[in-house]
Amino acid sequence: MSVKAKFLSLIFPTFLMIGCAGFSDHTVYISEQQIQSKLNDKLVIPLSLLKVFDLSLSNANVKFDHATGRMHTKFDTQLMNQLTGKKMAGKLAVSGNLHLDASTNSVILNDAEVDDFVIDGVEPKYADAMTGIAKMLGSQLLNGLNLYTVKADSLKVGKTQYYPKEMKVTDRGLVVTLSPYH
């Protein structure tokens, strides 16, 4: 076998493997901290509740539950009564299912539920009413919230364009599988 033939027999499989690598799936990992940061950025603007209260959320603490596929989040809250000007602090706990929207390359919060809403110093008779309002309005305001968009540089490797194919919830984060367009 000539040197040229040996060279081609070694280099051809290498180029073939490199070329085929552009046709395989790859994964993107999204951590709890990345989602927390996005939530803190998105929810910096106060939410208006019945045009009487402004609810500010901060310090998101996100935990993923791989068994149920749900995300559980606790927030520090500031509730401002627009009528009296009084500010109150508390905690809000929210959970929801996560959905991968391939059309927007995003992770979306669905089936959002307010699990707990506690405002410090509120009398029990008012606390139940406030929790009921928060549960009703909170799920409406948070359903469909875009939690994370896969970065453009993850969606294109070389000349190959990828799309989000599936997402798996783990206890440490999200694993998004990207597949090439054919």
Side-chain angles (χ1 to χ4, degrees):
M1 191 183 261
S2 72
V3 174
K4 185 177 178 182
K6 285 182 182 178
F7 176 74
L8 289 175
S9 69
L10 292 174
I11 200 75
F12 181 71
T14 303
F15 282 126
L16 184 63
M17 287 189 312
I18 290 170
C20 290
F23 297 117
S24 63
D25 292 350
H26 71 96
T27 55
V28 173
Y29 300 94
I30 305 168
S31 69
E32 291 173 340
Q33 291 77 20
Q34 287 172 292
I35 298 293
Q36 285 172 184
S37 177
K38 294 289 184 184
L39 279 170
N40 287 331
D41 291 345
K42 285 185 180 286
L43 299 176
V44 77
I45 299 170
L47 306 169
S48 180
L49 304 175
L50 303 175
K51 297 184 181 183
V52 175
F53 297 102
D54 284 340
L55 178 67
S56 299
L57 304 173
S58 60
N59 299 323
N61 182 0
V62 172
K63 296 292 178 206
F64 294 115
D65 183 354
H66 81 279
T68 64
R70 289 181 73 80
M71 178 183 79
H72 299 273
T73 309
K74 291 184 181 178
F75 294 97
D76 290 338
T77 63
Q78 286 286 328
L79 190 66
M80 169 74 156
N81 185 327
Q82 292 295 330
L83 301 175
T84 65
K86 184 177 178 183
K87 284 186 180 181
M88 298 172 275
K91 299 282 185 190
L92 175 72
V94 177
S95 65
N97 289 320
L98 302 175
H99 168 73
L100 182 62
D101 183 1
S103 67
T104 61
N105 305 318
S106 301
V107 177
I108 306 294
L109 181 65
N110 284 330
D111 304 320
E113 295 178 6
V114 173
D115 298 323
D116 196 23
F117 183 56
V118 176
I119 297 295
D120 301 334
V122 173
E123 295 179 38
K125 64 181 179 181
Y126 299 120
D128 290 342
M130 289 177 72
T131 299
I133 292 169
K135 285 185 177 197
M136 179 184 70
L137 296 176
S139 62
Q140 292 173 5
L141 293 171
L142 296 173
N143 266 327
L145 182 65
N146 180 335
L147 298 174
Y148 187 88
T149 300
V150 178
K151 295 178 181 161
D153 62 346
S154 296
L155 295 170
K156 188 169 185 176
V157 178
K159 293 185 178 186
T160 305
Q161 189 71 35
Y162 288 82
Y163 69 95
K165 178 179 166 183
E166 64 184 10
M167 178 185 64
K168 182 179 179 185
V169 178
T170 70
D171 284 338
R172 295 185 323 149
L174 305 175
V175 179
V176 177
T177 301
L178 304 175
S179 290
Y181 286 107
H182 294 292

